[in-house]
Amino acid sequence: EPEVTQTPSHQVTQMGQEVILRCVPISNHLYFYWYRQILGQKVEFLVSFYNNEISEKSEIFDDQFSVERPDGSNFTLKIRSTKLEDSAMYFCASIRIGTGIETQYFGPGTRLLVL
Amino acid sequence: KQEVTQIPAALSVPEGENLVLNCSFTDSAIYNLQWFRQDPGKGLTSLLLIQSSQREQTSGRLNASLDKSSGRSTLYIAASQPGDSATYLCAVNSGYSTLTFGKGTMLLVSP
C-alpha cells in the first residue's frame, strides 16, 4: 500500500540554524499538509499546499517557515532560524483530491530537537 | 474557532473489555471526522473516517459514531486486546481538509 515517507526521522540542530524537513507524499495525491505536535500537546495544523502554492496556513506558520515542492515528488518544510520552541514532531500528510471527504494519510514524522 | 475535546485523557482496562472513547467538537459545521491511532513516538494511522452525512462507520472491532448536531463522536472498541494499547486521536475537518485534533485518549489494555 502506498505510504507517505519523511526524512530524516530525527534531527538535532542548534538554535538559529536552518532546517529542511522532507516528505514524499503518495504519488497521485494533490494536496499536501504539514502538522506539528509538541511533546504532550495536540497535533496542530501548520500549512496546506495545492497546485504549487499555499492554500491555507495557521498562525503558527510565520515568516520563519516556508514550504516548497521542488520536484514532482518531494514536499519540504523549511524553518529558517530555529527556536527552542520549534522542537516538536513534524508530520506531513497528503490526500488525493481535497474535496473534504477523503482520508488524510500521514507520514511517520520527523522529530526535531532544537538545542 | 473549532475546538476538539477528548475524554477520558487516559483509560486502563483488562483485556477483553469493550470500551468507548469520546470526542466532542464545538462547531457542528464539519465535513467529516477521523479517528487515528498513534503509537508512542510514531506517526498517525487512520482508523475510521465518518462523513458529515453518516451516523456510523465500522471496521473490524472498531465502530465510530457521529452526532453532528450535538457535536459528539464515539469510538467503540470491542473485545479489547493488548495490541490496542495506543493513543487514539479524534480530528475534525471543517473545510479544505485541514484537520483540528483533540489531545487524545491514551489507552492501556492489560493482559
Side-chain angles (χ1 to χ4, degrees), chain B residues 1 7 12 17 30 38 47 61 74 78 82 90-91 93 99 104:
Chain B
K1 180 184 170 186
I7 53 172
S12 181
E17 271 203 11
I30 65 170
Q38 185 177 29
L47 298 173
R61 294 182 294 108
T74 62
C90 167
N93 175 1
L99 296 178

Side-chain angles (χ1 to χ4, degrees), chain A residues 33 35 37 40-45 48 56 89 91 95 98-104 106-109 111, chain B residues 1 3-5 31-32 34 36 38 41-44 46 49 51 89 93 95-103:
Chain A
Y33 305 82
Y35 293 82
Q37 185 179 33
Q41 298 189 24
K42 296 183 179 183
V43 176
E44 302 171 288
F45 165 74
S48 60
E56 193 177 357
M89 182 78 103
F91 294 108
I95 58 174
T99 57
I101 61 172
E102 297 175 61
T103 298
Q104 262 185 57
F106 280 72
R111 184 170 296 282
Chain B
K1 180 184 170 186
E3 296 286 343
V4 179
T5 303
Y31 284 84
N32 60 54
Q34 258 181 277
F36 292 87
Q38 185 177 29
K42 303 292 186 182
L44 307 178
S46 180
L49 179 144
Q51 303 299 347
L89 302 176
N93 175 1
Y96 297 104
S97 295
T98 302
L99 296 178
T100 302
F101 283 82
K103 204 169 179 182

Side-chain angles (χ1 to χ4, degrees), chain A residues 21-114:
Chain A
L21 310 183
R22 291 183 168 80
C23 167
V24 179
I26 294 173
S27 63
N28 64 346
H29 284 192
L30 300 177
Y31 282 78
F32 315 117
Y33 305 82
W34 284 102
Y35 293 82
R36 79 172 186 190
Q37 185 179 33
I38 295 171
L39 189 64
Q41 298 189 24
K42 296 183 179 183
V43 176
E44 302 171 288
F45 165 74
L46 292 178
V47 66
S48 60
F49 191 85
Y50 169 71
N51 200 26
N52 283 320
E53 59 183 30
I54 291 173
S55 299
E56 193 177 357
K57 60 183 180 179
S58 72
E59 298 167 346
I60 304 168
F61 194 88
D62 61 21
D63 292 344
Q64 291 298 313
F65 292 90
S66 62
V67 289
E68 193 177 36
R69 189 156 162 83
D71 53 42
S73 59
N74 289 285
F75 179 50
T76 63
L77 174 69
K78 181 192 290 187
I79 309 175
R80 288 190 183 81
S81 178
T82 51
K83 304 171 191 166
L84 296 177
E85 54 264 38
D86 293 328
S87 295
M89 182 78 103
Y90 288 81
F91 294 108
C92 173
S94 69
I95 58 174
R96 194 168 58 90
I97 296 176
T99 57
I101 61 172
E102 297 175 61
T103 298
Q104 262 185 57
Y105 292 90
F106 280 72
T110 293
R111 184 170 296 282
L112 176 66
L113 179 60
V114 182

